[in-house]
Amino acid sequence: MNVKLRVLSAGVLFFVGGQMLLAQKAKTDTVPKEKKIEEVVILGYSKTATKASSTVSSVTVGSETIENRPNISVLNSIQGTAPGIVANSNSGSPGSGQFNILIRGISSLNASTDPLYVVDGLITSASQFRNLNSADIDTFTILKDAQATSIYGNRAANGVVVITTKRGKYNSALRISYDALTSFSTYPKTDYNMSNGKQLLTVQNQYGGGFGSTLTQQEIDEWTTDTDWNKQFMRTGISQQHNLSLSLGGESINNYTSLGYLESDGIIKSTDFKRFTLRNNLSGKSKDGKLNYGTIIGLGYSRRNQLDDETNTAINANVIQNPLFGSVLSPTYVAPSPYSNGKELFDAIGTNSAGNRPWILQDIINGGVRNQFTEISIAANANASYKLTDYLTIGNRTGIDYKEYERIFARAANGYLSLVVAAGQGAQYGGFEQFNTTKDLTFHSVTNISFNKKFRDHNVTVSAYLDYFKVHWANNAQQQNGLNPLNWSFGAGTGYVPFNPATPNIYRPTVSASKVTAGTLAYFATLEYDYQNKYGLDAVIRRDGSYRFAPANKWETFWSLGVRWNIDKEAFMEGSGFDMLKLRASLGTSGNQNLSIPANNINPLILLPTAYLDQYGSNTGYQNLPGYGLGNLGNTALRWEEVKQSNIGLDFNYKGILTGSVDYYQKRTSRLFNNISVSGVTSVYTINGNNGILDNKGIEGLLRYNAIRNDNFKLSVFANAAYNSNKIVNMDKEVLTGDVVDAIGGPANQFQLYPYVGVDPADGEQLFLDINGNITKSPTANDRRLTGKSPNAKFTGGFGFNVDYKGFFLDTLFSFQQGGYIYDNLYSWVMDPFYAANNINVSADLLNAWTPTNTGSNLPSLNANNAGLEGSSDRFLFKSDFVRLKNISLGYNFTKSQLGNLPVRSIKLFVQAENIYTWSNWKGFDPEPVTTYSLNVYPNPKTVSVGANIDF
């Protein structure tokens, strides 16, 4: 994008949207001059390039795309904005760290697939975006090909996301901005056609199980209770956020300071999020311009209340402990709980939980189970560069990224689950409280020296870097068993029942601690060469060392080479209308040393710290005596995963009317991290090792058409799309024993199922195909076959338009994905009459099941003999395709002349909607999460917001 700069005489410099304007009283005889400002591409290690001179494949999302959005994490706001990056939220819980971010496909089977995140030169993790204020972000750049990522070497195998925050401007007056946003979030609904009270009782009666089987048809017809459990578990979530920023600059120094507050209620009761942020970015330079320096400080504090399932996968399918199932699976013929707490509930029903599941779930969200996280984050760095000569510069950037998390989890003293467990133990007091604290300090320092000189038509830049990275991580946890309801208070440390030696297994507290020190060291060099602004060459060579591997494999070399041809600069292109037409190509390698998939809040660098070493741990030995056992059998041959990528692309800009890019890439991951089978003589059956090859190939396109551009009316339409093909090329040993497998020749996480073909009209039994293609009613595991289907969509992208008419604006963003599949567990449960017999709600569609008088039904008999065999079939495997109206914004910008003598420069008022409508055949809450099974989904909400931006 080329932006026009109007150079006028004197005045106040400020930015509005994509234009830099100068406000002043211009002389009537002054003729404005125009000067093009070239788009800048943000690269690694504070390197930048103009769009025309860049050889990399990258996409930059500007602040105008992500500002004023109600999303807590900026990652929620980039879905559909750029080709080649898949951004899916796996949880709509406020402040959740469950994100699935893929750049150019899945690059590993068992190691981390997360891209590298760099904020103002500091490396951080995806979950930390909850403590980063989106209003502070200036640019969000996605680095995709080898030339863009190899400069980060050992951490860039999955792509790189580089974020820069806002800065002040030199020679600018004080500018104060205030933003306010109020949002209302509602839950999406399923398309399962769930039963009302009478319908569920009828299904139970016809099946012969559950409460309805004890009633007559007349009693069912006269039943009056019909509870809407959505209202009991869900709510309209109200959120608000306020941001205040100040910026100013003198001749040699500038500053940007911001303060932010956000408060958000989850759409499921008992979940919420609060955040405070403070940021100060200062930049300066000497009068002679030789010294440039800056400091960046970002502080964040957040507190969130989440459901237990957010971090406890053990209750993913537990309908008694997981409130996510409450709104769908609770029997509608049951009234809401009449009890005010778990003690009253326990006194009424005792340990009879089977028929009272919704009441227990209500007790959980009303305080029976508490799961609270607090988080403090400090990101600070200082940078300086000094120009020794006209062509030689030295510099350093050193910073820390400190995070401290505390999780307090409790089963309340009077919670129903606590009382049930206490009754089973014969204990007077139940419940427990856990405190889990993690401290994570990252130190990062980069020193560089650069040589830049122009020789006639040649321009050469050579740089050398030393990159030092160190992590200090510590965790401690304690748990108190036994809480006295008379004086216990959540998180206060009161009401703990003392340990009693007479009952050592009841009130015994537990403690644990762990610590990891990790790090990497790298040195690398870069070369940038340009000839006549027509031809360019960029190269990187990097030598990386990691603590994770044995000395023989500790060091690895990564490299890249990129070239470009600016065709529009050739004489034969004169008068063509192209402001830019650039062909580029690159080839290179990068590495992945994060050999395990990190859970929420976990620094990936601390996982498997000694994977190549033998490890021993304490255990209980012969006759219950203390002993030691082999916990990990080391493998000194363990090495990095390596990604080799080639890319060819074309960037173009035709008269500023039509702009875009097209890229084709091939990406191969070799030395895949895998478990390798070994003899069980040591009691350990696998070791950490490398084997296998994984390929990703794809094409990406980005296009914007500025259809109308005049003083009163502007209209632009845009679209981006990407196709990715993922295939396992080689693997020493396939494991094809499950329903989801990694098979040679197919995509990662491929479904292996047998086909479901319908219902036998003669008896209502389910029909399947065996491995030979014959119809069978009794398939076995051996009848499963590879389907070629996986959860990862093949096509992704987005499109929309921007309209501006005399101050009114209308912006839209649609996102889409196609080609992925998810097994809908929840749908399979509500279509199973066995669950109805256990007093769990089911779909009213079961009322149309096969009967001797309804032989044309496509649903099997409620009493089919082969019920349950559909679990390894594709009956409930569905496409996760969707087109979503991700964001729509309508508003008005008041100009200074309209505001008259008010002490403000500009006001923008707007209303917007997020996730407002989704076109999809998916029947569940949300097709967005990338997952094999829809075991439990906190749905991403629909959100409507009203807001204002005021500049003083």
Side-chain angles (χ1 to χ4, degrees):
M1 174 178 70
N2 286 324
V3 184
K4 304 290 186 179
L5 172 66
R6 297 188 180 273
V7 183
L8 305 180
S9 54
V12 180
L13 191 68
F14 63 97
F15 279 72
V16 179
Q19 290 188 326
M20 183 166 64
L21 306 175
L22 201 59
Q24 38 88 78
K25 294 181 179 179
K27 298 179 181 179
T28 56
D29 59 348
T30 300
V31 178
K33 298 179 181 179
E34 294 189 343
K35 178 182 178 181
K36 290 184 179 180
I37 300 177
E38 294 190 81
E39 182 180 347
V40 175
V41 179
I42 308 297
L43 303 173
Y45 293 92
S46 302
K47 295 169 68 69
T48 61
T50 64
K51 184 68 174 178
S53 65
S54 171
T55 62
V56 307
S57 175
S58 67
V59 176
T60 298
V61 179
S63 59
E64 69 280 358
T65 302
I66 56 183
E67 64 186 4
N68 299 321
R69 301 279 289 273
N71 303 309
I72 292 170
S73 171
V74 66
L75 298 180
N76 282 113
S77 300
I78 63 170
Q79 184 187 89
T81 61
I85 180 169
V86 178
N88 296 89
S89 174
N90 287 356
S91 173
S93 182
S96 172
Q98 293 189 26
F99 287 93
N100 188 281
I101 305 294
L102 294 176
I103 296 178
R104 292 187 165 179
I106 181 171
S107 299
S108 181
L109 298 179
N110 300 297
S112 173
T113 59
D114 291 338
L116 178 69
Y117 297 96
V118 182
V119 180
D120 289 326
L122 282 181
I123 293 170
T124 187
S125 62
S127 63
Q128 285 316 294
F129 285 108
R130 72 168 67 92
N131 267 19
L132 178 64
N133 189 346
S134 299
D136 289 335
I137 294 176
D138 187 29
T139 61
F140 189 107
T141 301
I142 301 139
L143 306 180
K144 297 183 289 186
D145 70 342
Q147 180 55 37
T149 63
S150 63
I151 192 172
Y152 285 102
N154 67 81
R155 296 185 289 269
N158 303 314
V160 182
V161 173
V162 179
I163 289 178
T164 60
T165 56
K166 294 177 180 177
R167 310 289 179 89
K169 307 294 186 295
Y170 291 114
N171 299 311
S172 62
L174 174 65
R175 177 179 178 180
I176 302 175
S177 297
Y178 171 70
D179 304 336
L181 190 71
T182 300
S183 306
F184 304 89
S185 299
T186 58
Y187 54 90
K189 296 181 180 179
T190 67
D191 193 26
Y192 295 145
N193 189 25
M194 298 305 295
S195 299
N196 61 32
K198 291 181 181 180
Q199 290 171 329
L200 178 56
L201 292 171
T202 302
V203 171
Q204 291 175 327
N205 186 275
Q206 293 178 359
Y207 180 73
F211 179 66
S213 65
T214 66
L215 303 178
T216 65
Q217 189 59 51
Q218 181 178 351
E219 289 174 319
I220 293 174
D221 293 339
E222 295 174 352
W223 195 266
T224 58
T225 302
D226 185 20
T227 301
D228 183 355
W229 288 105
N230 285 318
K231 294 181 179 179
Q232 302 302 316
F233 290 95
M234 304 285 201
R235 65 184 175 188
T236 297
I238 300 177
S239 305
Q240 60 174 317
Q241 54 180 298
H242 303 271
N243 298 298
L244 179 66
S245 66
L246 299 89
S247 65
L248 75 162
E251 183 179 349
S252 59
I253 194 168
N254 64 66
N255 188 75
Y256 170 86
T257 301
S258 72
L259 182 67
Y261 172 73
L262 182 146
E263 180 179 332
S264 177
D265 292 333
I267 58 173
I268 295 179
K269 294 178 180 180
S270 79
T271 61
D272 57 47
F273 180 84
K274 292 182 179 180
R275 179 183 70 197
F276 296 90
T277 59
L278 174 65
R279 175 169 293 276
N280 182 263
N281 294 350
L282 182 144
S283 300
K285 61 183 179 181
S286 61
K287 287 187 177 181
D288 60 8
K290 290 186 176 182
L291 174 65
N292 287 272
Y293 61 90
T295 61
I296 297 173
I297 300 177
L299 308 178
Y301 171 83
S302 64
R303 186 185 69 199
R304 65 191 189 277
N305 289 291
Q306 295 183 328
L307 299 178
D308 185 19
D309 85 289
E310 188 78 15
T311 51
N312 182 9
T313 58
I315 65 169
N316 276 1
N318 192 317
V319 295
I320 296 179
Q321 296 187 40
N322 193 340
L324 286 180
F325 298 126
S327 63
V328 177
L329 301 182
S330 295
T332 44
Y333 60 76
V334 174
S337 175
Y339 306 108
S340 60
N341 57 54
K343 180 68 165 59
E344 292 182 7
L345 176 61
F346 180 77
D347 290 342
I349 68 173
T351 59
N352 179 26
S353 61
N356 302 285
R357 296 183 185 92
W359 292 354
I360 298 170
L361 295 177
Q362 281 187 282
D363 176 64
I364 289 174
I365 64 171
N366 290 333
V369 175
R370 297 285 303 275
N371 190 28
Q372 185 181 93
F373 291 78
T374 58
E375 186 173 310
I376 297 172
S377 60
I378 303 173
N381 72 66
N383 62 88
S385 65
Y386 186 77
K387 208 166 187 179
L388 297 173
T389 69
D390 290 340
Y391 51 84
L392 193 62
T393 304
I394 60 171
N396 176 270
R397 179 185 293 272
T398 298
I400 63 165
D401 188 9
Y402 177 77
K403 308 178 186 72
E404 182 170 326
Y405 321 103
E406 182 183 58
R407 180 197 184 206
I408 307 175
F409 179 85
R411 283 189 176 179
N414 269 338
Y416 177 81
L417 295 178
S418 298
L419 298 173
V420 168
V421 172
Q425 294 177 331
Q428 180 181 358
Y429 300 101
F432 65 85
E433 186 170 65
Q434 296 175 340
F435 289 83
N436 192 304
T437 302
T438 299
K439 297 180 180 180
D440 185 351
L441 173 65
T442 297
F443 176 83
H444 191 196
S445 182
V446 180
T447 303
N448 68 284
I449 182 169
S450 297
F451 170 87
N452 174 261
K453 194 168 180 62
K454 187 170 185 178
F455 306 90
R456 296 179 182 174
D457 293 333
H458 308 272
N459 198 330
V460 178
T461 301
V462 180
S463 303
Y465 295 79
L466 177 65
D467 185 349
Y468 176 75
F469 193 83
K470 193 70 176 292
V471 173
H472 297 275
W473 182 92
N475 172 268
N476 63 77
Q478 58 186 20
Q479 175 173 317
Q480 169 63 38
N481 297 302
L483 307 175
N484 189 333
L486 293 177
N487 59 342
W488 175 75
S489 179
F490 178 73
T494 59
Y496 290 176
V497 177
F499 173 73
N500 186 349
T503 55
N505 295 321
I506 296 180
Y507 304 128
R508 179 177 59 191
T510 59
V511 296
S512 65
S514 58
K515 183 169 68 173
V516 176
T517 300
T520 63
L521 179 66
Y523 49 92
F524 57 99
T526 64
L527 168 66
E528 298 153 45
Y529 169 75
D530 174 82
Y531 176 69
Q532 291 187 342
N533 294 325
K534 293 181 182 180
Y535 315 106
L537 180 148
D538 293 337
V540 176
I541 184 165
R542 175 167 171 139
R543 186 74 169 158
D544 268 291
S546 172
Y547 80 107
R548 266 207 177 99
F549 307 102
N553 296 324
K554 188 179 294 290
W555 291 90
E556 193 80 35
T557 300
F558 304 104
W559 58 272
S560 69
L561 180 67
V563 296
R564 62 173 167 82
W565 176 25
N566 294 79
I567 306 172
D568 59 284
K569 301 294 184 182
E570 298 291 354
F572 62 80
M573 291 293 293
E574 188 173 344
S576 66
F578 279 95
D579 294 331
M580 181 177 66
L581 182 62
K582 181 184 65 177
L583 183 66
R584 50 182 166 75
S586 65
L587 178 68
T589 63
S590 52
N592 188 6
Q593 60 143 352
N594 293 326
L595 302 181
S596 183
I597 300 174
N600 188 13
N601 296 327
I602 296 297
N603 187 330
L605 204 61
I606 64 112
L607 301 177
L608 298 180
T610 52
Y612 70 94
L613 296 174
D614 294 339
Q615 289 179 289
Y616 296 86
S618 60
N619 60 14
T620 302
Y622 179 67
Q623 293 185 340
N624 291 326
L625 295 175
Y628 289 90
L630 183 63
N632 179 72
L633 187 60
N635 178 14
T636 57
L638 182 66
R639 301 181 65 187
W640 320 63
E641 289 189 340
E642 183 183 68
V643 175
K644 186 174 184 179
Q645 185 175 182
S646 59
N647 186 98
I648 185 168
L650 181 71
D651 301 323
F652 57 89
N653 181 339
Y654 181 73
K655 293 184 177 180
I657 299 174
L658 190 65
T659 64
S661 63
V662 180
D663 282 87
Y664 173 75
Y665 65 88
Q666 294 186 352
K667 186 165 67 169
R668 168 163 289 191
T669 307
S670 58
R671 304 194 307 232
L672 287 171
F673 180 64
N674 267 314
N675 288 328
I676 298 177
S677 299
V678 295
S679 170
V681 67
T682 63
S683 77
V684 176
Y685 297 91
T686 61
I687 62 172
N688 298 311
N690 305 89
N691 73 79
I693 296 173
L694 177 67
D695 273 358
N696 283 276
K697 299 178 181 180
I699 188 169
E700 304 163 349
L702 173 66
L703 188 66
R704 176 175 286 273
Y705 175 50
N706 298 310
I708 302 174
R709 296 181 299 171
N710 58 54
D711 291 340
N712 292 325
F713 187 37
K714 297 179 177 65
L715 170 64
S716 297
V717 294
F718 61 89
N720 71 81
Y723 168 78
N724 177 268
S725 173
N726 175 270
K727 185 173 74 171
I728 299 172
V729 177
N730 183 37
M731 191 180 298
D732 289 354
K733 182 178 181 181
E734 292 179 302
V735 179
L736 304 179
T737 57
D739 291 346
V740 180
V741 298
D742 291 326
I744 296 174
N749 302 319
Q750 181 180 183
F751 288 101
Q752 181 181 234
L753 306 167
Y754 42 75
Y756 171 80
V757 293
V759 177
D760 189 340
D763 56 12
E765 296 291 300
Q766 299 181 96
L767 299 177
F768 308 92
L769 293 182
D770 65 17
I771 194 65
N772 297 314
N774 301 315
I775 291 179
T776 179
K777 297 179 183 178
S778 53
T780 68
N782 293 329
D783 291 317
R784 295 174 305 181
R785 74 285 311 271
L786 297 172
T787 62
K789 300 172 181 178
S790 80
N792 296 300
K794 293 184 177 181
F795 295 92
T796 58
F799 58 92
F801 61 83
N802 308 112
V803 177
D804 193 328
Y805 178 71
K806 293 184 177 180
F808 289 97
F809 62 87
L810 175 63
D811 300 321
T812 65
L813 172 63
F814 294 82
S815 62
F816 66 87
Q817 69 179 33
Q818 189 272 331
Y821 290 80
I822 303 175
Y823 190 94
D824 195 346
N825 292 78
L826 191 55
Y827 189 31
S828 72
W829 295 347
V830 302
M831 293 298 290
D832 190 340
F834 175 78
Y835 286 95
N838 283 272
N839 300 309
I840 294 174
N841 200 16
V842 294
S843 172
D845 292 347
L846 291 179
L847 294 173
N848 190 40
W850 182 96
T851 65
T853 58
N854 184 31
T855 58
S857 174
N858 62 350
L859 297 178
S861 168
L862 297 180
N863 301 104
N865 294 319
N866 61 359
L869 294 181
E870 72 277 4
S872 289
S873 78
D874 61 4
R875 180 182 173 187
F876 295 103
L877 182 67
F878 295 102
K879 291 181 177 180
S880 59
D881 301 353
F882 69 80
V883 175
R884 169 168 287 171
L885 179 51
K886 187 66 178 177
N887 181 265
I888 181 170
S889 181
L890 174 66
Y892 184 77
N893 282 303
F894 291 88
T895 63
K896 178 61 178 175
S897 60
Q898 291 173 315
L899 297 173
N901 294 324
L902 290 176
V904 294
R905 296 179 178 177
S906 65
I907 296 178
K908 180 170 77 171
L909 302 178
F910 60 91
V911 59
Q912 67 163 338
E914 195 91 3
N915 299 329
I916 196 63
Y917 194 81
T918 303
W919 292 267
S920 177
N921 291 326
W922 180 257
K923 292 181 178 293
F925 282 115
D926 193 351
E928 180 176 324
V930 179
T931 179
T932 50
Y933 296 100
S934 63
L935 282 174
N936 66 321
V937 175
Y938 192 124
N940 290 294
K942 301 179 179 180
T943 303
V944 176
S945 308
V946 292
N949 303 148
I950 306 173
D951 284 344
F952 297 91

